[in-house]
Amino acid sequence: MAWATRFLSAVCFFAAGVLFAPDVLLGARSGSGATAVTAAKVSHLLCFATSWGAAFWATFIGGIIMFKNLPRHQFGNLQGKMFPAYFTLISACAAVSVAAFAYLHPWKTASAVERYQLGFLISALGFNLSNLLVFTPMTIEMMKKRHKMERELSIGDEVGWSKNVKSAKSNPALAAMNKKFGMIHGLSSLANIMSFGSLAMHSWYLASKLEL
């Protein structure tokens, strides 16, 4: 029911956009060519905005709030459910943005700036896919193994801090697990930041095109 309500709300907003700004959404000129260009622009903008907003929230706001207020294992399990959905969403949005931008600016006729921007969008897509298909599954698997070891040591329920480091000093197996998890998680975080940076570069390009 909740999803139906949200979908209906989205349809209503789209209908309102058609009503109040038909030239923008449907094309100022008649013809399938103009409509296709307008559809590509709307698709690119909406998908870019969705990926940018989701990346900003997940990286700098939502994750930090959850880490500071949830028991550490509960936080990790929640992230393990959220990250696959998060990277699926922004990968799909990035793919649409790449396709739409490439359609609007064909490589042969594109300027150097436009080619760089397409490169940034492709980079964002690549980093997101690497997280979705490689780093996130590995991180989740390592997290589950580390949680199992920590439960045997009766740690992991602390909020906002960790007893792990102290316990690892007297537990070589946990220390080795921490090293592996830290490396994989670090690569995942790096890919996420690189994707965010690529989207940030494109946001400057879009801002230069706005007339307010």
Side-chain angles (χ1 to χ4, degrees), residues 67-146:
F67 176 76
K68 290 184 177 181
N69 292 277
L70 291 177
R72 191 162 54 80
H73 282 186
Q74 185 177 340
F75 165 75
N77 291 330
L78 178 59
Q79 294 287 76
K81 298 295 184 180
M82 287 183 60
F83 273 3
Y86 162 64
F87 286 120
T88 298
L89 171 66
I90 58 178
S91 294
C93 287
V96 173
S97 290
V98 168
F101 194 83
Y103 173 78
L104 293 168
H105 306 284
W107 185 263
K108 291 183 178 180
T109 58
S111 66
V113 172
E114 291 165 348
R115 291 181 178 182
Y116 278 123
Q117 292 305 315
L118 181 60
F120 287 131
L121 292 173
I122 293 174
S123 296
L125 175 59
F127 287 124
N128 288 325
L129 287 176
S130 69
N131 248 325
L132 176 64
L133 301 176
V134 181
F135 297 133
T136 294
M138 293 176 64
T139 301
I140 293 174
E141 181 182 359
M142 293 297 298
M143 178 194 72
K144 290 180 179 179
K145 292 180 178 179
R146 190 167 78 155

Side-chain angles (χ1 to χ4, degrees), residues 28-197:
R29 304 182 303 277
S30 60
S32 59
T35 302
V37 168
T38 302
K41 289 181 178 180
V42 172
S43 298
H44 174 64
L45 183 60
L46 290 181
C47 287
F48 169 79
T50 299
S51 57
W52 166 262
F56 184 84
W57 175 265
T59 304
F60 299 107
I61 301 176
I64 296 175
I65 292 174
M66 288 186 287
F67 176 76
K68 290 184 177 181
N69 292 277
L70 291 177
R72 191 162 54 80
H73 282 186
Q74 185 177 340
F75 165 75
N77 291 330
L78 178 59
Q79 294 287 76
K81 298 295 184 180
M82 287 183 60
F83 273 3
Y86 162 64
F87 286 120
T88 298
L89 171 66
I90 58 178
S91 294
C93 287
V96 173
S97 290
V98 168
F101 194 83
Y103 173 78
L104 293 168
H105 306 284
W107 185 263
K108 291 183 178 180
T109 58
S111 66
V113 172
E114 291 165 348
R115 291 181 178 182
Y116 278 123
Q117 292 305 315
L118 181 60
F120 287 131
L121 292 173
I122 293 174
S123 296
L125 175 59
F127 287 124
N128 288 325
L129 287 176
S130 69
N131 248 325
L132 176 64
L133 301 176
V134 181
F135 297 133
T136 294
M138 293 176 64
T139 301
I140 293 174
E141 181 182 359
M142 293 297 298
M143 178 194 72
K144 290 180 179 179
K145 292 180 178 179
R146 190 167 78 155
H147 281 187
K148 183 176 182 298
M149 294 182 64
E150 290 177 334
R151 283 194 295 269
E152 294 173 353
L153 297 172
S154 299
I155 61 176
D157 292 327
E158 57 274 14
V159 178
W161 61 289
S162 176
K163 297 179 180 179
N164 178 289
V165 176
K166 182 178 180 180
S167 299
K169 292 180 179 179
S170 57
N171 191 317
L174 181 59
M177 181 66 69
N178 287 344
K179 185 176 181 180
K180 293 179 181 179
F181 177 81
M183 180 182 66
I184 297 171
H185 185 265
L187 291 174
S188 177
S189 298
L190 177 61
N192 186 52
I193 289 296
M194 293 299 291
S195 170
F196 182 83

